[in-house]
Amino acid sequence: MDFTIRAVRPEEHEEVGELTARAYLDDGHLTFGEDDDYLPVMRDVARRAVEAEVLVAADDDGTILGAVTFTAGGGEWADIAGPGEAEFRLLAVARPARGRGVGEALVRACVDRARALDGCVRLVLSTQDGMTTAHRIYRRLGFVRVPERDWTPVPDLSPLWAFSLDI
């Protein structure tokens, strides 16, 4: 691996927010594009870093390649994680960094954090049905679909798919 996984630094909040927003916008994962209500949430890394753990993948020169948000069940950033579970969300990899294992390394870091949490037995996530590259990473690492936990955060839109990994 020619990059490091570490906690985001305050001076990187804006850059990580824009990287995340661009990844979702450019790949067509925000239904309402630049007008999507979720976009400001994605860009607010300062808030996320206070309420959860934001991890980044960074090159030796400091270039941010990707990011993810990790939280324990019951945390402010847990959408579907309950007691005894952890969750990650907002996995994003900059387009030029794709194909280098950045996404998988960030997911593995979340798995490691979940395993280190006392009482945590499962790591869960929500994803869009069209995020097929991410689905391949999840399945390769042992995550399974749990359709009974799919949910719809925005009425009249497709549900988010749930994946789970027993740890």
Side-chain angles (χ1 to χ4, degrees), residues 20-92:
T20 304
R22 289 278 32 116
Y24 281 72
L25 281 167
D26 295 348
D27 289 348
H29 295 307
L30 290 176
T31 303
F32 305 107
E34 292 283 353
D35 296 324
D36 200 293
D37 289 342
Y38 195 47
L39 200 53
V41 174
M42 297 173 92
R43 286 184 166 132
D44 192 355
V45 177
R47 176 182 162 215
R48 271 193 278 153
V50 168
E51 299 172 345
E53 185 176 8
V54 179
L55 302 174
V56 297
D59 262 336
D60 290 339
D61 68 1
T63 302
I64 303 298
L65 308 172
V68 67
T69 300
F70 175 84
T71 191
E76 182 71 25
W77 286 86
D79 283 328
I80 64 170
E85 297 179 328
E87 182 171 346
F88 71 87
R89 53 192 285 197
L90 292 167
L91 175 65

Side-chain angles (χ1 to χ4, degrees), residues 9 13-14 17-18 42 101 105 107 118 121 125:
R9 297 174 180 148
H13 288 171
E14 187 174 332
E18 194 54 32
M42 297 173 92
V107 173
D118 284 340
V121 297
L125 67 105

